[in-house]
Amino acid sequence: MTQSLPPLRLGIAGLGTVGRGVVRILQTHGDLIAKRAGRAVQIVAVSARSQKDRGVDLSAYAFEADPVALAQRPDIDVFVEVMGGHEGPARHATEAAIAAGKDVVTANKALLAHHGQALALAAEARGRVIRFEAAVAGGIPVIKALTEGLAGNQMKRVMGVMNGTCNYILTRMEATGQGYNVLFDECAKLGYLEADPNLDVGGIDAGHKLSLLSSIAFGTQVAFDAVELQGIQNILLDDIHMARDLGYRIKLLGVTQMTGRGLEQRMTPCLVPADSPLGQLQGGTNMVVLEGDAVGQVVMRGPGAGEGPTASAVMGDVIDLARGTRVSTFGQPASTLTVAVPAKAQAPSAWYLRMTLLDKPGALAKIATCLGEAGVSIDQMRQNGHEGVHAPVLIVTHKASPADIADAVARFATTGVLVGEPVALRIEEV
């Protein structure tokens, strides 16, 4: 007769949305989790900034004001970090947990994007693991898919919509006819924005996630600083409407792939076909597309944030540890991860260009000349009425390289007819 395993004991640092969700799942489904894990999973202690009412019963758990003290408790096996932030308490407590011989489950993409290699090496040196399913794409099990289900593939490309707030704003702009600023304020009221909103709308949050997926997919050290980032702050309602008229929708799209020149990582607004799976993605939903040499294309879609989906991902990692499933942090030993050469995208594509010109003779001709001198040909051109002395102009190009588009945009600035900054968005045929 096999002796039953002792309970897996958790210490949870952070009792915000995700931490409360983890507590609720364990209190609601404790018996079911024990059956699936082969042992009980118990919360021993928690840590938060205060002991205020969190809407869940915490009376059975010890409280530690200091998350580092929680991480070092001898009566916990797994340190669950759901505080957030890549420095300060989250980093110090995670380092303390590893030093104390604990496994770590975290939802903190910023921490791993900035310090993932060092933390993974430290965990390996002590025979520990760091799991972070909840850090990327909320409830979508994309980390498990890459590290386990698709581990036999040479990955070719990873792409997707990975920030629910940006997707909510962009889809609501089309659905309601409201502008970016109005919907930004709506997101703030709904609690959809990070404490620093630029993490969301500036593409930084999604860039953190992309850098983690890139590391797993291509066996490289996390290189967030090499991610090409562009947010959605400059997308106007006119852009949404013009993209729709062309048969596209605008998405904050992440793309990473290994090329002969090095590792491409970009998180930028793009036009995608409106009838494609990415184009049909609404609200706060995320979608990740994984392309492997053997499997082909795998599309994963689901809720990208929120208490339930993110806590579900945390518990998936916890149950794996309870079962004895131990996978290296980034899918292979951190000591074997290579330092990738960063590369800018060079593949040509069609481009959407929107600009405002002074309404005077020859203005449009000067823009067309700049495009021609940069080697960019025009597919479509529209001038959508006048705004006083200004004339909004839309241009769709034939396929052109990013370098040629950058050259053309630089030339625009010398014409003396440009009002404000032009917007240049890649058109992705996904």
Side-chain angles (χ1 to χ4, degrees):
M1 182 174 178
T2 304
Q3 186 175 1
S4 61
L5 292 171
L8 187 73
R9 303 166 300 175
L10 310 182
I12 301 176
L15 292 172
T17 300
V18 181
R20 291 195 304 269
V22 173
V23 173
R24 284 195 178 100
I25 288 175
L26 276 166
Q27 290 180 346
T28 304
H29 301 307
D31 290 342
L32 177 64
I33 289 168
K35 291 174 184 176
R36 290 176 173 172
R39 63 197 292 194
V41 177
Q42 299 176 351
I43 301 170
V44 171
V46 297
S47 178
R49 291 177 181 173
S50 72
Q51 290 183 271
K52 69 179 183 182
D53 182 11
R54 307 278 175 169
V56 290
D57 182 7
L58 303 172
S59 60
Y61 318 133
F63 181 84
E64 295 280 2
D66 180 3
V68 172
L70 174 68
Q72 295 172 330
R73 285 179 67 108
D75 57 351
I76 71 165
D77 306 305
V78 178
F79 179 66
V80 179
E81 188 277 300
V82 286
M83 294 180 288
H86 68 276
E87 298 294 349
R91 181 182 179 184
H92 298 152
T94 300
E95 291 172 340
I98 293 168
K102 318 294 184 185
D103 291 321
V104 173
V105 172
T106 180
N108 193 337
K109 59 268 185 183
L111 177 68
L112 294 175
H114 287 276
H115 306 294
Q117 179 67 13
L119 291 171
L121 286 170
E124 280 179 16
R126 291 161 179 79
R128 300 295 94 194
V129 295
I130 303 170
R131 302 306 301 146
F132 58 97
E133 188 67 71
V136 180
I140 304 174
V142 62
I143 304 298
K144 182 178 282 290
L146 279 172
T147 57
E148 299 180 42
L150 302 180
N153 285 256
Q154 179 72 49
M155 299 308 298
K156 298 168 63 178
R157 182 168 70 158
V158 177
M159 64 189 300
V161 171
M162 303 175 199
N163 183 276
T165 300
C166 288
N167 202 54
Y168 178 88
I169 290 173
L170 293 172
T171 54
R172 288 282 289 168
M173 286 173 75
E174 179 179 358
T176 68
Q178 296 175 304
Y180 169 85
N181 290 333
V182 172
L183 290 165
F184 178 91
D185 291 341
E186 180 178 308
C187 284
K189 292 174 183 175
L190 291 171
Y192 289 176
L193 292 170
E194 298 272 1
D196 176 2
N198 192 51
L199 291 173
D200 283 313
V201 298
I204 298 169
D205 169 85
H208 287 151
K209 299 169 185 177
L210 185 70
S211 70
L212 299 178
L213 294 181
S214 186
S215 174
I216 299 169
F218 304 113
T220 58
Q221 294 182 19
V222 180
F224 168 67
D225 290 343
V227 179
E228 177 188 349
L229 289 177
Q230 182 183 343
I232 66 168
Q233 303 97 318
N234 294 327
I235 304 298
L236 301 180
L237 192 57
D238 282 349
D239 296 317
I240 300 292
H241 291 161
M242 287 189 279
R244 181 187 60 197
D245 292 345
L246 292 166
Y248 295 95
R249 288 198 171 102
I250 298 174
K251 300 293 179 184
L252 181 67
L253 186 67
V255 180
T256 180
Q257 57 190 349
M258 184 65 75
T259 72
R261 298 170 293 101
L263 181 63
E264 292 181 12
Q265 301 180 94
R266 51 189 165 90
M267 182 62 68
T268 59
C270 297
L271 275 69
V272 301
D275 59 358
S276 68
L278 284 166
Q280 295 178 44
L281 200 63
Q282 298 292 311
T285 308
N286 283 193
M287 179 176 288
V288 183
V289 181
L290 308 174
E291 296 179 1
D293 63 343
V295 73
Q297 189 177 88
V298 174
V299 180
M300 307 181 75
R301 177 183 183 276
E307 177 181 309
T310 311
S312 168
V314 169
M315 285 308 306
D317 283 339
V318 168
I319 291 170
D320 268 356
L321 293 175
R323 289 169 171 164
T325 303
R326 307 183 68 77
V327 179
S328 297
T329 303
F330 296 105
Q332 65 186 64
S335 57
T336 69
L337 298 173
T338 61
V339 177
V341 175
K344 295 288 186 182
Q346 290 187 357
S349 69
W351 291 79
Y352 166 100
L353 304 176
R354 189 257 300 161
M355 65 202 77
T356 301
L357 306 182
L358 293 173
D359 186 20
K360 63 181 185 180
L364 202 53
K366 289 184 178 182
I367 295 299
T369 298
C370 290
L371 288 166
E373 290 173 344
V376 178
S377 63
I378 298 171
D379 180 34
Q380 300 180 50
M381 181 183 292
R382 300 182 187 180
Q383 189 167 328
N384 296 324
H386 291 194
E387 298 175 353
V389 296
H390 298 160
V393 173
L394 163 66
I395 295 172
V396 176
T397 75
H398 288 113
K399 285 189 175 182
S401 72
D404 288 344
I405 293 295
D407 181 18
V409 170
R411 291 173 186 270
F412 294 165
T414 68
T415 61
V417 301
L418 198 64
V419 179
E421 294 291 326
V423 168
L425 303 177
R426 189 181 185 101
I427 299 176
E428 292 278 5
E429 297 295 342
V430 295

